[in-house]
């Protein structure tokens, strides 16, 4: 398979990313096609769809061997489940599947036609293998069941973002960052109220602590 595009956003590392697509609608990304696929005709009709399926590569989670069981973070990282019953990145083939909202299509002079999307769970630079339209009449199954994942939903956490740190983040990036923090990026098995966590977002190192189900941003450091 050939890489047709790459996604670009403010998450250079996987820590801090939403664990599933569609959980943080405020997160904005841009899909830029590889030169071979910068053909406007290939996107004819795409403007009529509100959402897209992305098939992509777990390029930072490739291994030579595979395991039939994995440890889902939402189960505390201690209980094993079959790899095909999870969305773990450690799979026989490192292929991801995400549904994103198509915000707009832009024609640029240097990168050809690019797609502005929201709600992605892909890190910056992730290779994309294919893009397909989301079809509500076929892809939406209201009576579907969610297995063990349904019992461990992604509840938002309260976020306290002191103004002195918030003002360091450009206004257009704040909603996406706060949305990501509300997802509580910590591994489910870590619950140390004194531990300082951090991840890179845009050009900043965002550091925070979590105590009594409240996440408090304690420092913003420009990433130089």
């Amino acid at each position: 398979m050939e890489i047709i595009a790459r996604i670009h956003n403010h998450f250079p590392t996987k820590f801090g990313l939403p664990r599933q697509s569609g959980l943080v609608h405020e997160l904005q990304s841009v899909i830029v096609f590889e030169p071979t696929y910068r053909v406007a005709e290939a996107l004819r009709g795409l403007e009529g769809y509100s959402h897209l399926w992305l098939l992509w590569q777990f390029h930072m989670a490739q291994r030579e061997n595979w395991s039939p069981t994995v440890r889902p973070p939402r189960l505390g990282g201690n209980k094993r489940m079959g790899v095909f019953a999870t969305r773990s990145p450690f799979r026989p083939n490192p292929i991801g599947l995400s549904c994103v909202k198509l915000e707009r299509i832009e024609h640029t002079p240097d990168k050809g036609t690019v797609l502005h999307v929201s709600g992605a769970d892909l890190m910056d630079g992730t290779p994309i293998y294919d893009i397909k339209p989301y079809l509500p009449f076929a892809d939406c199954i209201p009576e579907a069941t969610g297995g063990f994942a349904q019992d461990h939903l992604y509840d938002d956490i309260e976020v306290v973002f002191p103004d002195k740190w918030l003002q360091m983040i450009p206004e257009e990036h704040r909603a996406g960052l706060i949305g990501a923090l509300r997802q509580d990026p910590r591994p489910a098995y870590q619950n140390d109220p004194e531990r300082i966590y951090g991840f890179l977002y845009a050009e900043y190192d965002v550091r925070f602590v979590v105590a009594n189900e409240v996440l408090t941003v304690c420092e913003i450091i420009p990433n130089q």
Side-chain angles (χ1 to χ4, degrees):
M1 293 193 296
E2 295 185 3
I3 296 169
I4 66 164
R6 293 181 185 272
I7 198 166
H8 296 283
N9 53 39
H10 299 303
F11 279 99
T13 62
K14 64 181 181 179
F15 186 66
L17 272 173
R19 295 178 176 87
Q20 301 292 338
S21 61
L23 294 179
V24 183
H25 301 287
E26 300 89 347
L27 285 180
Q28 304 294 314
S29 301
V30 179
I31 296 175
V32 179
F33 289 89
E34 296 291 286
T36 302
Y37 298 98
R38 293 178 186 175
V39 182
E41 288 82 359
L43 301 175
R44 184 184 300 165
L46 193 66
E47 69 279 358
Y49 297 95
S50 65
H51 291 74
L52 307 173
W53 287 112
L54 306 181
L55 282 83
W56 47 279
Q57 181 189 56
F58 286 107
H59 64 300
M60 300 298 290
Q62 298 188 60
R63 297 179 174 179
E64 294 184 1
N65 300 315
W66 73 285
S67 172
T69 60
V70 294
R71 301 172 188 239
R74 275 295 173 177
L75 294 182
N78 298 315
K79 187 175 182 180
R80 285 192 171 274
M81 289 291 181
V83 64
F84 299 127
T86 76
R87 296 195 178 187
S88 167
F90 303 109
R91 322 186 67 79
N93 293 304
I95 298 173
L97 175 68
S98 297
C99 183
V100 299
K101 182 179 180 182
L102 176 61
E103 298 289 349
R104 61 188 176 95
I105 301 174
E106 180 185 9
H107 303 284
T108 71
D110 56 337
K111 298 178 181 178
T113 303
V114 302
L115 306 179
H116 293 263
V117 301
S118 61
D121 57 343
L122 290 69
M123 62 184 292
D124 183 60
T126 295
I128 297 175
Y129 286 133
D130 202 2
I131 298 172
K132 301 177 186 292
Y134 176 92
L135 303 179
F137 65 88
D139 295 339
C140 180
I141 306 176
E143 68 273 18
T145 58
F148 68 85
Q150 190 71 30
D151 299 326
H152 300 271
L153 298 180
Y154 302 90
D155 297 324
D156 287 353
I157 192 172
E158 181 182 350
V159 173
V160 175
F161 209 137
D163 192 63
K164 69 174 182 178
W165 303 124
L166 184 62
Q167 293 302 320
M168 294 183 64
I169 305 296
E171 186 173 358
E172 63 271 22
H173 299 334
R174 293 175 189 172
L177 174 57
I178 293 173
L181 291 170
R182 283 178 180 154
Q183 293 295 307
D184 190 357
R186 300 175 302 161
Y189 53 85
Q190 291 185 1
N191 191 26
D192 182 355
E194 297 183 358
R195 177 168 180 170
I196 297 177
Y197 300 86
F199 61 81
L200 298 179
Y201 180 79
E203 299 176 354
Y204 303 92
D205 185 355
V206 181
R207 300 185 179 182
F208 61 92
V209 296
V210 181
N212 299 321
E213 300 303 315
V214 176
L215 183 152
T216 302
V217 176
C218 58
E219 192 173 17
I220 299 291
I221 302 176
N223 185 27
Q224 300 179 350

